[in-house]
Amino acid sequence: MIIVSQDNKVILNFNNIQSIRIERYTTHEKGKFIYKILGGNFEGYATEIGTYETEERAVEVLNEIIGKMQSKSTVEMTVEGVNTVVSDGIYIMPKEW
């Protein structure tokens, strides 16, 4: 499965991701936080794939990714004599935060 970042500038291959996590960041407003979802690879690098206003919304998005992984289906089809497997395993990060 691939995950498309919230800003549509990054595509992550889930097979190359070791972890997806939520991190809390402070904002310029006193006492206000934002929650970023980061995908980390095997080399320790992290890529931001979405930002949300509440931790609850960030957790909802993670659960949506899990649901997409569980419902992923593949279809085998033949195009010009070549067998191809087409997967609907694409998750696009929600824009709102």
Side-chain angles (χ1 to χ4, degrees):
M1 182 171 92
I2 64 170
I3 299 174
V4 180
S5 67
Q6 203 173 40
D7 62 4
N8 294 321
K9 294 181 180 179
V10 177
I11 296 175
L12 296 174
N13 180 339
F14 197 81
N15 294 332
N16 297 330
I17 297 174
Q18 187 176 17
S19 67
I20 295 181
R21 66 184 182 277
I22 298 170
E23 287 190 8
R24 183 173 84 165
Y25 288 82
T26 58
T27 65
H28 294 293
E29 290 183 47
K30 185 176 181 176
K32 183 171 168 112
F33 301 97
I34 57 172
Y35 298 85
K36 295 185 179 194
I37 298 179
L38 305 166
N41 68 13
F42 296 101
E43 298 166 352
Y45 296 103
T47 302
E48 181 182 332
I49 55 177
T51 302
Y52 299 94
E53 231 175 80
T54 66
E55 185 175 22
E56 291 79 15
R57 179 61 181 139
V59 169
E60 284 176 9
V61 171
L62 286 184
N63 286 327
E64 289 173 12
I65 292 171
I66 291 167
K68 183 69 173 181
M69 290 288 299
Q70 291 173 337
S71 69
K72 183 172 71 168
S73 63
T74 58
V75 176
E76 188 173 331
M77 50 191 271
T78 303
V79 178
E80 296 181 12
V82 177
N83 280 347
T84 306
V85 176
V86 179
S87 173
D88 70 349
I90 299 172
Y91 183 82
I92 300 173
M93 297 296 288
K95 301 269 189 236
E96 78 279 354
W97 62 283

Coordinates of all heavy atoms in Angstrom, one line a residue:
M1 N 0.9 -1.2 0.0 CA 0.0 0.0 0.0 C 0.9 1.2 0.0 O 2.0 1.2 0.6 CB -0.9 0.0 1.2 CG -1.8 1.2 1.3 SD -3.1 1.1 2.6 CE -2.2 2.0 3.9
I2 N 0.4 2.3 -0.6 CA 1.1 3.6 -0.5 C 0.2 4.6 0.2 O -1.0 4.4 0.2 CB 1.5 4.1 -1.9 CG1 0.3 4.4 -2.8 CG2 2.4 3.2 -2.7 CD1 0.6 5.2 -4.0
I3 N 0.9 5.5 0.8 CA 0.2 6.6 1.6 C 0.6 7.9 0.9 O 1.8 8.2 0.8 CB 0.6 6.6 3.0 CG1 0.2 5.3 3.7 CG2 0.0 7.8 3.8 CD1 0.6 5.1 5.1
V4 N -0.3 8.7 0.5 CA -0.1 10.0 -0.1 C -0.2 11.1 1.0 O -1.2 11.1 1.8 CB -1.1 10.3 -1.2 CG1 -0.8 11.7 -1.8 CG2 -1.0 9.2 -2.3
S5 N 0.8 11.9 1.2 CA 0.8 12.9 2.3 C -0.3 13.9 2.1 O -0.9 14.1 1.0 CB 2.2 13.6 2.3 OG 2.3 14.4 1.2
Q6 N -0.6 14.6 3.2 CA -1.7 15.6 3.2 C -1.5 16.7 2.2 O -2.5 17.1 1.6 CB -1.6 16.2 4.6 CG -2.9 16.8 5.1 CD -2.8 17.2 6.5 OE1 -1.8 17.7 7.0 NE2 -3.9 17.0 7.3
D7 N -0.3 17.1 1.9 CA 0.0 18.1 0.9 C 0.2 17.6 -0.5 O 0.6 18.3 -1.4 CB 1.2 19.0 1.3 CG 2.5 18.2 1.4 OD1 2.5 17.0 1.1 OD2 3.5 18.9 1.8
N8 N 0.1 16.3 -0.7 CA 0.2 15.6 -2.0 C 1.7 15.7 -2.5 O 1.9 15.6 -3.7 CB -0.8 16.1 -3.0 CG -2.2 15.8 -2.7 OD1 -2.4 14.7 -2.2 ND2 -3.1 16.7 -2.9
K9 N 2.6 16.0 -1.7 CA 4.0 16.1 -2.1 C 4.9 14.9 -1.8 O 6.0 14.9 -2.3 CB 4.6 17.4 -1.6 CG 4.0 18.7 -2.1 CD 4.6 19.9 -1.5 CE 3.9 21.1 -2.0 NZ 4.5 22.4 -1.4
V10 N 4.4 14.0 -1.0 CA 5.1 12.8 -0.6 C 4.3 11.6 -0.8 O 3.1 11.6 -0.4 CB 5.6 12.9 0.8 CG1 6.3 11.7 1.3 CG2 6.5 14.1 1.1
I11 N 4.9 10.5 -1.4 CA 4.2 9.2 -1.4 C 5.1 8.3 -0.7 O 6.3 8.2 -1.0 CB 4.1 8.8 -2.9 CG1 3.1 9.7 -3.6 CG2 3.5 7.3 -3.0 CD1 3.0 9.4 -5.1
L12 N 4.6 7.6 0.3 CA 5.3 6.6 1.1 C 4.9 5.2 0.7 O 3.7 4.9 0.7 CB 5.1 6.8 2.6 CG 5.6 8.1 3.2 CD1 5.2 8.2 4.6 CD2 7.1 8.2 3.1
N13 N 5.8 4.3 0.5 CA 5.5 2.9 0.3 C 5.5 2.2 1.6 O 6.4 2.2 2.3 CB 6.6 2.3 -0.6 CG 6.4 0.8 -0.9 OD1 5.6 0.1 -0.2 ND2 7.0 0.3 -1.9
F14 N 4.3 1.7 2.0 CA 4.1 1.2 3.3 C 5.1 0.0 3.6 O 5.4 -0.2 4.7 CB 2.7 0.7 3.5 CG 2.3 0.5 5.0 CD1 2.0 1.6 5.8 CD2 2.3 -0.7 5.6 CE1 1.6 1.5 7.1 CE2 2.0 -0.9 6.9 CZ 1.7 0.2 7.7
N15 N 5.5 -0.7 2.6 CA 6.4 -1.8 2.7 C 7.8 -1.3 3.2 O 8.6 -2.1 3.8 CB 6.6 -2.6 1.4 CG 5.4 -3.3 1.0 OD1 4.5 -3.6 1.8 ND2 5.2 -3.4 -0.3
N16 N 8.1 0.0 3.0 CA 9.4 0.5 3.5 C 9.3 1.3 4.7 O 10.3 2.0 5.1 CB 10.0 1.4 2.4 CG 10.3 0.6 1.1 OD1 10.6 -0.6 1.2 ND2 10.2 1.2 0.0
I17 N 8.1 1.3 5.4 CA 7.9 2.1 6.6 C 8.0 1.2 7.8 O 7.4 0.1 7.9 CB 6.6 2.8 6.6 CG1 6.5 3.8 5.5 CG2 6.3 3.5 8.0 CD1 5.1 4.4 5.3
Q18 N 8.9 1.5 8.8 CA 9.0 0.7 10.0 C 7.9 1.1 11.0 O 7.4 0.3 11.7 CB 10.4 0.9 10.6 CG 10.6 0.0 11.7 CD 12.1 0.1 12.2 OE1 12.8 1.1 11.9 NE2 12.5 -0.8 13.0
S19 N 7.6 2.4 11.0 CA 6.6 2.8 12.0 C 5.9 4.1 11.5 O 6.4 4.8 10.7 CB 7.2 3.2 13.3 OG 8.1 4.3 13.2
I20 N 4.6 4.2 12.0 CA 3.9 5.5 11.8 C 3.5 5.9 13.2 O 3.0 5.1 14.0 CB 2.6 5.3 10.9 CG1 3.0 4.9 9.5 CG2 1.8 6.6 10.9 CD1 1.9 4.7 8.6
R21 N 3.8 7.2 13.5 CA 3.6 7.6 14.9 C 3.0 9.0 14.9 O 3.1 9.8 13.9 CB 4.9 7.6 15.7 CG 5.9 8.5 15.2 CD 7.2 8.3 16.0 NE 8.2 9.3 15.6 CZ 9.0 9.2 14.6 NH1 8.9 8.1 13.8 NH2 9.9 10.1 14.3
I22 N 2.4 9.4 16.0 CA 1.9 10.7 16.3 C 2.9 11.4 17.2 O 3.3 10.9 18.3 CB 0.5 10.7 16.9 CG1 -0.5 10.0 16.0 CG2 0.0 12.1 17.3 CD1 -1.8 9.7 16.6
E23 N 3.2 12.6 16.9 CA 4.1 13.5 17.8 C 3.4 14.8 18.0 O 2.8 15.4 17.1 CB 5.5 13.7 17.2 CG 6.3 12.5 17.2 CD 7.8 12.8 16.8 OE1 8.2 14.0 16.7 OE2 8.5 11.8 16.6
R24 N 3.5 15.2 19.3 CA 2.9 16.5 19.7 C 3.9 17.6 19.5 O 5.0 17.5 20.0 CB 2.4 16.4 21.1 CG 1.7 17.6 21.6 CD 1.1 17.4 23.0 NE 2.1 17.7 24.0 CZ 1.9 17.8 25.2 NH1 0.7 17.8 25.7 NH2 2.9 18.0 26.1
Y25 N 3.4 18.7 18.9 CA 4.3 19.9 18.8 C 3.6 21.1 19.4 O 2.4 21.2 19.3 CB 4.6 20.2 17.3 CG 5.5 19.2 16.7 CD1 5.0 17.9 16.2 CD2 6.9 19.4 16.5 CE1 5.9 17.0 15.7 CE2 7.7 18.5 16.0 CZ 7.2 17.3 15.5 OH 8.1 16.4 15.0
T26 N 4.4 22.0 19.9 CA 3.8 23.3 20.4 C 3.6 24.2 19.3 O 4.2 24.1 18.3 CB 4.7 23.9 21.5 OG1 6.0 24.1 20.9 CG2 4.9 23.0 22.7
T27 N 2.7 25.2 19.5 CA 2.4 26.2 18.5 C 2.8 27.6 19.1 O 3.2 27.6 20.3 CB 0.9 26.2 18.1 OG1 0.2 26.6 19.3 CG2 0.5 24.9 17.6
H28 N 2.6 28.6 18.4 CA 2.9 30.0 18.9 C 1.9 30.4 19.9 O 2.1 31.3 20.7 CB 3.0 31.0 17.7 CG 4.2 30.7 16.9 ND1 5.5 30.8 17.3 CD2 4.3 30.3 15.6 CE1 6.3 30.5 16.3 NE2 5.6 30.2 15.2
E29 N 0.7 29.8 19.9 CA -0.3 30.1 20.9 C -0.1 29.3 22.2 O 0.2 28.1 22.2 CB -1.7 29.7 20.4 CG -2.2 30.5 19.2 CD -3.6 30.1 18.8 OE1 -4.5 29.9 19.7 OE2 -3.8 29.9 17.6
K30 N -0.1 30.1 23.3 CA 0.2 29.5 24.6 C -0.8 28.3 24.9 O -2.0 28.5 24.8 CB 0.2 30.5 25.7 CG 0.6 30.0 27.0 CD 0.6 31.1 28.0 CE 1.0 30.5 29.4 NZ 1.1 31.6 30.4
G31 N -0.2 27.2 25.2 CA -1.1 26.0 25.6 C -1.7 25.3 24.5 O -2.4 24.3 24.7
K32 N -1.4 25.7 23.2 CA -2.0 25.0 22.1 C -1.0 24.1 21.4 O 0.2 24.4 21.3 CB -2.6 26.0 21.1 CG -3.2 25.3 19.9 CD -3.9 26.3 19.0 CE -4.3 25.6 17.8 NZ -5.7 25.5 17.5
F33 N -1.4 22.9 21.0 CA -0.6 21.9 20.4 C -1.1 21.5 19.0 O -2.3 21.7 18.8 CB -0.4 20.7 21.3 CG 0.2 21.0 22.6 CD1 -0.7 21.1 23.7 CD2 1.5 21.1 22.8 CE1 -0.1 21.4 25.0 CE2 2.1 21.4 24.0 CZ 1.2 21.5 25.1
I34 N -0.3 21.0 18.2 CA -0.7 20.3 17.0 C -0.1 18.9 17.0 O 0.8 18.6 17.7 CB -0.3 21.0 15.7 CG1 1.2 21.2 15.6 CG2 -1.1 22.3 15.5 CD1 1.7 21.8 14.3
Y35 N -0.7 18.0 16.2 CA -0.3 16.6 16.2 C 0.1 16.2 14.8 O -0.8 16.3 13.9 CB -1.4 15.7 16.8 CG -1.7 16.2 18.3 CD1 -2.6 17.2 18.5 CD2 -1.0 15.5 19.3 CE1 -2.8 17.6 19.9 CE2 -1.3 16.0 20.6 CZ -2.1 17.0 20.9 OH -2.4 17.4 22.2
K36 N 1.3 15.8 14.7 CA 1.8 15.4 13.4 C 1.9 13.9 13.3 O 2.3 13.2 14.3 CB 3.2 16.0 13.1 CG 3.1 17.5 13.0 CD 4.5 18.1 12.6 CE 4.4 19.6 12.5 NZ 5.5 20.2 11.8
I37 N 1.5 13.4 12.1 CA 1.7 11.9 11.9 C 3.0 11.8 11.0 O 3.1 12.5 10.0 CB 0.5 11.3 11.2 CG1 -0.7 11.5 12.1 CG2 0.8 9.9 10.8 CD1 -2.0 10.9 11.5
L38 N 3.9 11.0 11.5 CA 5.2 10.8 10.8 C 5.3 9.3 10.5 O 5.0 8.4 11.3 CB 6.3 11.2 11.8 CG 6.2 12.6 12.3 CD1 7.2 12.8 13.5 CD2 6.5 13.6 11.2
G39 N 5.9 9.1 9.3 CA 6.2 7.7 8.9 C 7.7 7.6 8.9 O 8.5 8.4 8.4
G40 N 8.2 6.6 9.7 CA 9.7 6.4 9.8 C 10.1 5.2 9.1 O 9.5 4.2 9.0
N41 N 11.4 5.3 8.5 CA 11.9 4.1 7.8 C 12.9 3.4 8.6 O 13.2 3.7 9.8 CB 12.5 4.6 6.4 CG 13.7 5.4 6.6 OD1 14.3 5.5 7.6 ND2 14.1 6.1 5.5
F42 N 13.6 2.4 8.0 CA 14.5 1.5 8.7 C 15.8 2.2 9.1 O 16.6 1.7 9.9 CB 14.8 0.3 7.9 CG 13.5 -0.6 7.7 CD1 12.8 -0.5 6.5 CD2 13.1 -1.4 8.7 CE1 11.7 -1.3 6.4 CE2 11.9 -2.1 8.6 CZ 11.2 -2.1 7.4
E43 N 16.1 3.3 8.5 CA 17.3 4.1 8.7 C 17.1 5.2 9.8 O 18.0 5.9 10.0 CB 17.8 4.6 7.4 CG 18.2 3.5 6.4 CD 18.4 4.1 5.0 OE1 18.2 5.3 4.8 OE2 18.8 3.3 4.2
G44 N 15.9 5.3 10.3 CA 15.7 6.3 11.4 C 15.2 7.6 10.9 O 15.0 8.5 11.7
Y45 N 15.0 7.8 9.6 CA 14.4 9.0 9.1 C 12.9 9.0 9.2 O 12.3 8.0 9.1 CB 14.8 9.2 7.6 CG 16.3 9.4 7.4 CD1 17.1 8.3 6.9 CD2 16.9 10.5 7.7 CE1 18.4 8.4 6.8 CE2 18.3 10.7 7.6 CZ 19.0 9.6 7.1 OH 20.4 9.7 6.9
A46 N 12.3 10.2 9.4 CA 10.9 10.3 9.6 C 10.4 11.4 8.5 O 11.0 12.4 8.3 CB 10.5 10.8 11.0
T47 N 9.2 11.1 8.0 CA 8.6 12.0 7.0 C 7.2 12.4 7.5 O 6.4 11.5 7.9 CB 8.5 11.2 5.6 OG1 9.7 10.8 5.2 CG2 7.8 12.2 4.6
E48 N 7.0 13.7 7.5 CA 5.7 14.1 8.0 C 4.6 13.9 6.9 O 4.9 14.2 5.7 CB 5.7 15.7 8.2 CG 4.4 16.2 8.7 CD 4.4 17.7 8.9 OE1 5.5 18.3 9.2 OE2 3.3 18.3 8.7
I49 N 3.5 13.2 7.2 CA 2.5 12.9 6.2 C 1.2 13.6 6.5 O 0.3 13.6 5.7 CB 2.3 11.4 6.0 CG1 2.1 10.7 7.4 CG2 3.6 10.8 5.4 CD1 1.8 9.2 7.2
G50 N 1.0 14.2 7.7 CA -0.2 14.9 8.1 C -0.1 15.6 9.4 O 0.7 15.3 10.2
T51 N -0.9 16.7 9.5 CA -0.9 17.5 10.7 C -2.4 17.7 11.1 O -3.2 18.1 10.3 CB -0.3 18.9 10.5 OG1 1.1 18.6 10.1 CG2 -0.3 19.7 11.8
Y52 N -2.7 17.5 12.4 CA -4.1 17.6 12.9 C -4.1 18.5 14.2 O -3.2 18.5 14.9 CB -4.7 16.2 13.1 CG -4.7 15.5 11.7 CD1 -3.7 14.7 11.4 CD2 -5.7 15.7 10.8 CE1 -3.6 14.1 10.1 CE2 -5.7 15.1 9.6 CZ -4.6 14.3 9.2 OH -4.6 13.7 8.0
E53 N -5.3 19.1 14.4 CA -5.5 20.0 15.5 C -5.6 19.2 16.8 O -5.3 19.8 17.9 CB -6.8 20.8 15.3 CG -6.5 22.3 15.4 CD -7.7 23.1 15.1 OE1 -8.6 23.2 16.0 OE2 -7.7 23.6 14.0
T54 N -6.1 18.0 16.8 CA -6.3 17.3 18.0 C -5.7 15.9 17.9 O -5.6 15.3 16.8 CB -7.8 17.1 18.4 OG1 -8.4 16.2 17.4 CG2 -8.5 18.4 18.5
E55 N -5.3 15.4 19.1 CA -4.7 14.0 19.1 C -5.8 13.0 18.7 O -5.5 12.0 18.0 CB -4.2 13.7 20.5 CG -3.5 12.4 20.6 CD -2.8 12.2 21.9 OE1 -3.3 12.8 22.9 OE2 -1.9 11.3 22.0
E56 N -7.0 13.3 19.1 CA -8.1 12.3 18.7 C -8.3 12.2 17.2 O -8.4 11.1 16.7 CB -9.4 12.8 19.4 CG -9.5 12.7 20.9 CD -8.8 13.9 21.6 OE1 -8.4 14.9 21.0 OE2 -8.5 13.7 22.8
R57 N -8.2 13.3 16.5 CA -8.3 13.3 15.0 C -7.1 12.5 14.4 O -7.2 11.7 13.5 CB -8.4 14.7 14.4 CG -8.5 14.7 12.9 CD -9.7 13.9 12.4 NE -9.7 13.9 11.0 CZ -10.1 12.9 10.2 NH1 -10.5 11.7 10.8 NH2 -10.1 12.9 8.9
A58 N -5.9 12.7 15.0 CA -4.7 12.0 14.5 C -4.9 10.5 14.7 O -4.6 9.7 13.8 CB -3.5 12.5 15.2
V59 N -5.4 10.1 15.8 CA -5.6 8.7 16.1 C -6.7 8.1 15.1 O -6.6 7.0 14.6 CB -6.1 8.5 17.6 CG1 -6.6 7.1 17.8 CG2 -4.9 8.8 18.5
E60 N -7.7 8.9 14.9 CA -8.8 8.5 13.9 C -8.1 8.2 12.5 O -8.5 7.2 11.9 CB -9.8 9.6 13.7 CG -10.8 9.7 14.8 CD -11.8 10.8 14.6 OE1 -11.8 11.4 13.5 OE2 -12.6 11.1 15.5
V61 N -7.2 9.1 12.1 CA -6.6 8.9 10.8 C -5.7 7.6 10.8 O -5.7 6.9 9.9 CB -5.7 10.1 10.4 CG1 -4.9 9.9 9.2 CG2 -6.6 11.3 10.2
L62 N -5.0 7.4 11.9 CA -4.2 6.1 12.0 C -5.1 4.9 11.9 O -4.8 3.9 11.2 CB -3.4 6.1 13.3 CG -2.2 7.0 13.4 CD1 -1.5 6.7 14.7 CD2 -1.3 6.8 12.2
N63 N -6.3 5.0 12.5 CA -7.3 3.9 12.5 C -7.8 3.7 11.0 O -8.1 2.6 10.6 CB -8.4 4.1 13.5 CG -7.9 3.8 14.9 OD1 -7.1 3.0 15.1 ND2 -8.5 4.5 15.8
E64 N -8.0 4.8 10.3 CA -8.4 4.7 8.9 C -7.3 4.0 8.1 O -7.7 3.2 7.2 CB -8.7 6.1 8.3 CG -9.9 6.8 8.9 CD -10.0 8.3 8.4 OE1 -9.3 8.7 7.5 OE2 -10.9 9.0 9.0
I65 N -6.1 4.3 8.3 CA -5.0 3.6 7.6 C -5.0 2.1 7.9 O -4.9 1.3 7.0 CB -3.6 4.2 8.0 CG1 -3.5 5.7 7.5 CG2 -2.5 3.4 7.5 CD1 -2.3 6.4 8.0
I66 N -5.2 1.8 9.2 CA -5.3 0.4 9.5 C -6.5 -0.3 8.8 O -6.4 -1.4 8.3 CB -5.5 0.2 11.1 CG1 -4.2 0.6 11.8 CG2 -5.9 -1.2 11.4 CD1 -4.4 0.8 13.3
G67 N -7.6 0.4 8.8 CA -8.8 -0.1 8.1 C -8.5 -0.3 6.6 O -9.0 -1.3 6.0
K68 N -7.8 0.6 6.0 CA -7.5 0.5 4.6 C -6.6 -0.7 4.3 O -6.8 -1.4 3.4 CB -6.9 1.8 4.1 CG -6.5 1.8 2.6 CD -7.8 1.9 1.8 CE -7.5 2.1 0.3 NZ -8.6 2.2 -0.5
M69 N -5.6 -0.9 5.2 CA -4.7 -2.0 5.1 C -5.5 -3.4 5.2 O -5.3 -4.3 4.5 CB -3.7 -2.0 6.2 CG -2.7 -0.9 6.1 SD -1.5 -1.2 4.7 CE -0.7 -2.7 5.2
Q70 N -6.5 -3.4 6.1 CA -7.2 -4.7 6.3 C -8.2 -4.9 5.1 O -8.4 -6.1 4.8 CB -8.0 -4.6 7.6 CG -7.1 -4.6 8.8 CD -7.9 -4.4 10.1 OE1 -9.0 -3.8 10.1 NE2 -7.4 -4.8 11.2
S71 N -8.7 -3.9 4.5 CA -9.7 -4.1 3.4 C -9.0 -4.1 2.0 O -9.7 -4.2 1.0 CB -10.7 -3.0 3.5 OG -10.2 -1.8 3.2
K72 N -7.7 -4.0 2.0 CA -7.0 -3.9 0.7 C -7.3 -5.1 -0.1 O -7.2 -6.2 0.3 CB -5.5 -3.8 0.9 CG -4.7 -3.6 -0.3 CD -3.3 -3.3 0.0 CE -2.6 -4.5 0.5 NZ -1.1 -4.4 0.5
S73 N -7.7 -4.9 -1.4 CA -8.0 -6.0 -2.3 C -7.2 -5.9 -3.5 O -6.8 -4.8 -3.9 CB -9.5 -6.0 -2.6 OG -9.9 -4.8 -3.3
T74 N -7.0 -7.0 -4.1 CA -6.2 -7.0 -5.4 C -7.0 -7.7 -6.5 O -7.8 -8.6 -6.2 CB -4.9 -7.7 -5.3 OG1 -5.1 -9.0 -4.8 CG2 -4.0 -7.0 -4.3
V75 N -6.8 -7.3 -7.7 CA -7.5 -7.9 -8.8 C -6.5 -8.3 -9.8 O -5.6 -7.5 -10.2 CB -8.5 -6.9 -9.4 CG1 -9.1 -7.4 -10.7 CG2 -9.5 -6.4 -8.4
E76 N -6.5 -9.5 -10.3 CA -5.6 -9.9 -11.3 C -6.3 -9.7 -12.7 O -7.4 -10.1 -12.9 CB -5.2 -11.4 -11.1 CG -4.1 -11.8 -12.1 CD -3.5 -13.2 -11.7 OE1 -3.6 -13.6 -10.6 OE2 -3.1 -13.8 -12.7
M77 N -5.6 -9.1 -13.6 CA -6.2 -8.9 -14.9 C -5.1 -9.1 -16.0 O -3.9 -9.0 -15.7 CB -6.8 -7.5 -15.0 CG -5.9 -6.4 -14.6 SD -6.8 -4.8 -14.5 CE -6.6 -4.2 -16.1
T78 N -5.5 -9.4 -17.2 CA -4.6 -9.6 -18.3 C -4.7 -8.4 -19.3 O -5.8 -8.1 -19.7 CB -4.9 -10.9 -19.0 OG1 -4.8 -12.0 -18.0 CG2 -3.9 -11.2 -20.1
V79 N -3.6 -7.8 -19.5 CA -3.6 -6.7 -20.5 C -2.6 -7.0 -21.5 O -1.4 -7.2 -21.2 CB -3.2 -5.3 -19.8 CG1 -3.1 -4.2 -20.8 CG2 -4.2 -5.0 -18.6
E80 N -3.0 -7.1 -22.8 CA -2.2 -7.5 -23.9 C -1.3 -8.7 -23.6 O -0.1 -8.8 -23.8 CB -1.3 -6.3 -24.3 CG -2.1 -5.1 -24.8 CD -1.3 -3.9 -25.2 OE1 0.0 -4.1 -25.3 OE2 -1.8 -2.9 -25.4
G81 N -2.0 -9.8 -23.0 CA -1.3 -11.0 -22.8 C -0.4 -11.0 -21.5 O 0.3 -12.0 -21.3
V82 N -0.3 -9.9 -20.8 CA 0.5 -9.9 -19.6 C -0.4 -9.8 -18.4 O -1.3 -9.0 -18.3 CB 1.4 -8.6 -19.6 CG1 2.3 -8.5 -18.4 CG2 2.3 -8.6 -20.9
N83 N -0.1 -10.8 -17.4 CA -0.9 -10.7 -16.2 C -0.4 -9.6 -15.3 O 0.8 -9.5 -15.1 CB -0.8 -12.1 -15.4 CG -1.7 -13.1 -16.0 OD1 -2.6 -12.8 -16.8 ND2 -1.4 -14.4 -15.6
T84 N -1.3 -8.8 -14.8 CA -1.0 -7.7 -13.9 C -1.9 -7.8 -12.7 O -3.0 -8.1 -12.8 CB -1.2 -6.4 -14.6 OG1 -0.5 -6.4 -15.9 CG2 -0.8 -5.2 -13.8
V85 N -1.3 -7.5 -11.5 CA -2.1 -7.4 -10.3 C -2.3 -5.9 -10.0 O -1.3 -5.1 -9.8 CB -1.3 -8.1 -9.1 CG1 -2.1 -7.9 -7.8 CG2 -1.2 -9.6 -9.4
V86 N -3.5 -5.5 -9.9 CA -3.9 -4.1 -9.6 C -4.4 -4.1 -8.1 O -5.3 -4.8 -7.8 CB -4.9 -3.6 -10.6 CG1 -5.3 -2.2 -10.2 CG2 -4.4 -3.7 -12.0
S87 N -3.9 -3.2 -7.3 CA -4.3 -3.1 -5.9 C -5.0 -1.7 -5.7 O -4.6 -0.7 -6.2 CB -3.1 -3.2 -5.0 OG -3.4 -3.0 -3.7
D88 N -6.0 -1.7 -4.8 CA -6.6 -0.5 -4.4 C -5.9 0.1 -3.1 O -6.5 0.8 -2.4 CB -8.1 -0.6 -4.2 CG -8.5 -1.4 -3.0 OD1 -7.6 -2.1 -2.4 OD2 -9.6 -1.4 -2.7
G89 N -4.7 -0.4 -2.8 CA -4.0 -0.1 -1.6 C -3.4 1.3 -1.6 O -2.2 1.5 -1.5
I90 N -4.2 2.3 -1.7 CA -3.8 3.7 -1.7 C -4.5 4.4 -0.6 O -5.8 4.4 -0.5 CB -4.0 4.4 -3.0 CG1 -3.2 3.7 -4.1 CG2 -3.6 5.9 -2.9 CD1 -3.5 4.3 -5.5
Y91 N -3.8 5.1 0.3 CA -4.5 5.9 1.3 C -4.0 7.4 1.2 O -2.8 7.6 1.2 CB -4.2 5.4 2.8 CG -4.9 6.2 3.8 CD1 -6.2 5.9 4.1 CD2 -4.3 7.3 4.4 CE1 -6.9 6.7 5.0 CE2 -5.0 8.0 5.4 CZ -6.3 7.7 5.7 OH -7.0 8.5 6.6
I92 N -4.9 8.3 1.0 CA -4.6 9.7 0.9 C -5.0 10.4 2.2 O -6.1 10.3 2.7 CB -5.4 10.4 -0.3 CG1 -5.0 9.7 -1.6 CG2 -5.1 11.9 -0.3 CD1 -5.8 10.1 -2.8
M93 N -4.0 11.0 2.8 CA -4.2 11.7 4.1 C -5.2 12.8 4.0 O -5.2 13.6 3.1 CB -2.8 12.3 4.6 CG -1.7 11.3 4.9 SD -2.1 10.1 6.2 CE -1.9 11.1 7.6
P94 N -6.2 12.8 5.0 CA -7.2 13.8 5.0 C -6.6 15.2 5.1 O -5.6 15.4 5.9 CB -8.0 13.5 6.2 CG -7.8 12.0 6.5 CD -6.4 11.8 6.0
K95 N -7.1 16.2 4.5 CA -6.6 17.6 4.5 C -6.9 18.3 5.8 O -6.0 19.1 6.2 CB -7.2 18.4 3.3 CG -6.9 17.7 2.0 CD -5.6 18.3 1.4 CE -5.5 17.8 0.0 NZ -4.3 17.1 -0.3
E96 N -8.1 18.2 6.3 CA -8.4 19.0 7.5 C -7.5 18.7 8.7 O -7.1 17.6 8.8 CB -9.9 18.8 7.8 CG -10.2 17.6 8.6 CD -10.4 16.3 7.8 OE1 -10.3 16.4 6.5 OE2 -10.5 15.3 8.3
W97 N -7.3 19.7 9.4 CA -6.5 19.5 10.7 C -7.1 20.5 11.7 O -7.0 20.4 12.8 CB -5.0 19.6 10.5 CG -4.5 20.9 10.0 CD1 -4.5 21.4 8.8 CD2 -3.8 21.9 10.8 NE1 -3.9 22.6 8.7 CE2 -3.4 23.0 9.9 CE3 -3.4 22.1 12.1 CZ2 -2.7 24.1 10.3 CZ3 -2.7 23.2 12.5 CH2 -2.4 24.2 11.6

